[in-house]
Amino acid sequence: MKRIFVACGSGVATSQTVASKIQSMCEDEGLDVSVEAVDIKSLESIIDQCDIYVSIVSDNADEWDVPTIKGIPFLTGVGMDEEFKKLKELIEA
């Protein structure tokens, strides 16, 4: 099972929405994942506990040593298919 963290500023509204969307999409594809919404302030202390990070904040992606994808497409729908394809590849790797 791959563990996915989705982070926004507070870990509440935006990250919860994106985490739910990703969890649902993964379930539809039969992918075994755990998706958790977290706040960006706690991310530094827990980032090593996840396999994939979904970033909703601007350009912190390069700071972490885990595969990272963009979360905004899951919120807006624009570019979501492309990001989900990347996510699936990371999950199946």
Side-chain angles (χ1 to χ4, degrees):
M1 177 188 305
K2 297 282 183 166
R3 191 164 184 199
I4 302 169
F5 285 170
V6 181
C8 70
S10 67
V12 183
T14 308
S15 58
Q16 286 286 355
T17 300
V18 172
S20 293
K21 178 75 171 180
I22 290 172
Q23 184 73 52
S24 176
M25 292 174 78
C26 287
E27 286 173 3
D28 290 348
E29 295 282 326
L31 300 170
D32 189 20
V33 298
S34 166
V35 185
E36 185 177 341
V38 299
D39 71 276
I40 195 71
K41 292 176 216 133
S42 65
L43 189 62
E44 185 174 355
S45 63
I46 61 172
I47 192 70
D48 62 334
Q49 298 172 28
C50 76
D51 299 296
I52 303 165
Y53 168 52
V54 179
S55 175
I56 301 174
V57 296
S58 58
D59 294 335
N60 277 4
D62 296 333
E63 294 181 21
W64 313 115
D65 192 25
V66 296
T68 303
I69 66 164
K70 298 174 187 168
I72 295 296
F74 294 97
L75 193 61
T76 65
V78 178
M80 182 175 67
D81 292 338
E82 293 83 7
E83 287 303 305
F84 187 63
K85 182 179 177 185
K86 292 177 193 174
L87 179 62
K88 278 177 53 175
E89 290 171 359
L90 291 170
I91 293 168
E92 294 170 342

